[in-house]
Amino acid sequence: MRAPQSDRPENFPAMVADVLDRVRSRRPRVHCITNAVAQNFTANMLLAAGAVPSMTIAQKEVRAFASRADAVLVNLGTFDPERQQASLAAIAVANKRGIPWVLDPVFIERSPPRAAFAKKLLAKRPRALRLNAAEFATLSGGQTDDAALARFAKARRAVVGLTGEKDFVHDASRLAVIDNGDPLMARVTAMGCVASALVGACLAVEPDAWKAVTSALTNPRTVPPCGSG
C-alpha cells in the first residue's frame, strides 16, 4: 500500500490497526440495506470484525433501526421497490442524525434504472462510496484515473474506494493504493458487498473518512463487485 508522501502517516500499518481495533472494542452497529444474496455473509463478516449488524428493510421499523445505528450501508445489489424505499428512509434518518452512510452502487452500469437511483442517492451525500471502475464511470460520466477520482471526491465531499485488481482510496487530496488481494476472491460472491459493510463499520469509529475507508479495504482486502444482481 502507498499514500502520497505529503500526507503519509508516520506509521501507516499502525493507523489501520488502530481503526480495526476500535471496531472490535466499540462494537459499532451497522445497519445494512443490502443484496439478498449477501445478507448472511455480510452479517457474519461484520460479527467477525467486531461490529453488530442489522438488516431489516421493513418500512415500519427501518427508521428505528437506522436511528440506533452507528453507520448505514446502502447496497443496490437487489433492486426491488422495498429496498429502494428502505434506502431513502434510512438515509433520511442518517443525514438528520449525522450518522455516516456508505453507497455501494452494484451493477449500475448494466441497468439505467439502477444508475438513475444511484445518482439520486449520491445527491444525498454519502460519506463514502465503495465501487468498481465500471460503476464509477457510470456515476461520474468520465475517466477512472487519479485525477478523476480526486475531482469526484472533492465535488461530492465523499471518499471514493475504487476496488479491483488494485484498490484506490481517494478523497480530495489523499490517495492510498492497496495491492494485497487474491484472484480466488473473485470466485466468492458478495466479497465486495462485505467490503462496503466493513467500510461502514470503520466509518462508525473513525471520523476521518479517508482513514476509515483505507483501513476497511486493507484488512480484509476487497475485490471486484458483489457478483449478484
Side-chain angles (χ1 to χ4, degrees):
M1 177 179 10
R2 64 178 174 85
Q5 188 64 42
S6 60
D7 200 6
R8 187 186 299 274
E10 287 296 321
N11 190 332
F12 204 88
M15 180 201 81
V16 173
D18 173 62
V19 174
L20 297 175
D21 282 345
R22 277 182 274 148
V23 171
R24 287 188 286 270
S25 63
R26 297 184 189 179
R27 295 185 57 76
R29 295 176 179 270
V30 183
H31 189 70
C32 304
I33 300 170
T34 191
N35 191 328
V37 174
Q39 285 184 244
N40 185 68
F41 189 31
T42 298
N44 284 332
M45 289 294 285
L46 283 172
L47 287 168
V52 179
S54 56
M55 300 281 172
T56 186
I57 59 172
Q59 281 295 302
K60 291 183 178 180
E61 62 181 10
V62 67
R63 292 174 180 84
F65 272 81
S67 69
R68 293 188 62 192
D70 300 299
V72 171
L73 165 66
V74 174
N75 175 304
L76 302 185
T78 301
F79 191 62
D80 55 31
E82 191 172 13
R83 280 179 174 77
Q84 292 176 52
Q85 294 168 9
S87 298
L88 293 170
I91 289 168
V93 170
N95 284 344
K96 182 177 180 179
R97 293 178 174 266
I99 298 167
W101 66 278
V102 185
L103 176 60
D104 183 348
V106 178
F107 285 157
I108 59 171
E109 77 281 8
R110 304 187 186 186
S111 166
R114 287 184 192 228
F117 190 66
K119 290 175 181 178
K120 179 178 180 178
L121 298 188
L122 183 62
K124 298 181 182 296
R125 301 182 65 173
R127 189 75 56 86
L129 296 90
R130 205 292 309 165
L131 71 178
N132 65 21
E135 293 157 355
F136 178 78
T138 300
L139 280 184
S140 66
Q143 301 298 313
T144 57
D145 56 20
D146 287 353
L149 290 169
R151 286 194 302 269
F152 186 91
K154 182 177 181 180
R156 296 296 181 175
R157 298 183 181 180
V159 173
V160 179
L162 184 75
T163 59
E165 185 176 351
K166 292 183 180 180
D167 299 342
F168 300 88
V169 181
H170 229 309
D171 65 5
S173 60
R174 293 173 291 181
L175 169 66
V177 180
I178 304 165
D179 185 13
N180 62 345
D182 190 301
L184 289 176
M185 296 182 78
R187 300 289 185 176
V188 180
T189 193
M191 292 300 296
C193 301
V194 165
S196 298
L198 290 172
V199 167
C202 290
L203 284 172
V205 302
E206 173 51 60
D208 184 327
W210 181 80
K211 291 182 179 179
V213 177
T214 300
S215 299
L217 299 186
T218 300
N219 185 26
R221 131 98 176 141
T222 49
V223 293
C226 233
S228 47

